[in-house]
Amino acid sequence: MRAEEIPPGVQEVILPSGERALAYSTGPTSPPSAPAAPVVPIAQPIPAWAKTTALLAPTVGGGIGMAAVGLSTAAPGLIAMSHALWSAVAAIAAGGTAAAVVIGRVRARITAAQRPHITQHITATGWFGRANGTINHR
């Protein structure tokens, strides 16, 4: 291939075996020119979101700090309150269990006095005989 036919970004290389091949180049395709003039930085304004974030960061941090101080001050009272609430829950649970037991016993006595006693006598003759029975209520 002639040099004019090679597309830009591709160059001819010689492999270790001595063969010539085309390869994509990763470096500059043209010979280096004179160094470019240094770029002068241009001052850009600070975006509004950056200003807002910079102003809110100390406020949020201060609020978290004040909340931590408040919780550390209130911790003994909160612990006492949680103990009192757990005691109340335990008392309610014990009272509910006792009430359920008492109600169950009372209902058992009431229904035992009113419940009839039924006995049945069933007789049958033979393997496929007809069954006859009597029911007695007491």
Side-chain angles (χ1 to χ4, degrees):
M1 206 177 229
R2 294 187 324 232
E4 299 86 34
E5 295 176 353
I6 297 176
V10 177
Q11 63 185 8
E12 186 177 8
V13 294
I14 299 175
L15 298 175
S17 63
E19 284 185 74
R20 291 182 178 219
L22 295 177
Y24 288 105
S25 63
T26 56
T29 56
S30 62
S33 61
V39 178
V40 179
I42 301 171
Q44 296 179 354
I46 298 173
W49 65 267
K51 289 180 185 178
T52 305
T53 303
L55 291 173
L56 282 177
T59 307
V60 172
I64 292 172
M66 290 305 290
V69 169
L71 282 175
S72 67
T73 304
L78 293 174
I79 292 171
M81 190 182 301
S82 71
H83 286 267
L85 288 174
W86 279 115
S87 299
V89 168
I92 290 170
T97 304
V101 168
V102 169
I103 289 171
R105 286 186 181 174
V106 169
R107 282 189 180 172
R109 284 184 189 163
I110 291 172
T111 57
Q114 296 174 353
R115 188 180 315 149
H117 184 74
I118 300 173
T119 57
Q120 293 181 329
H121 298 284
I122 299 172
T123 58
T125 57
W127 183 253
F128 292 106
R130 186 173 199 169
N132 294 319
T134 58
I135 299 175
N136 299 319
H137 296 276
R138 289 188 202 171

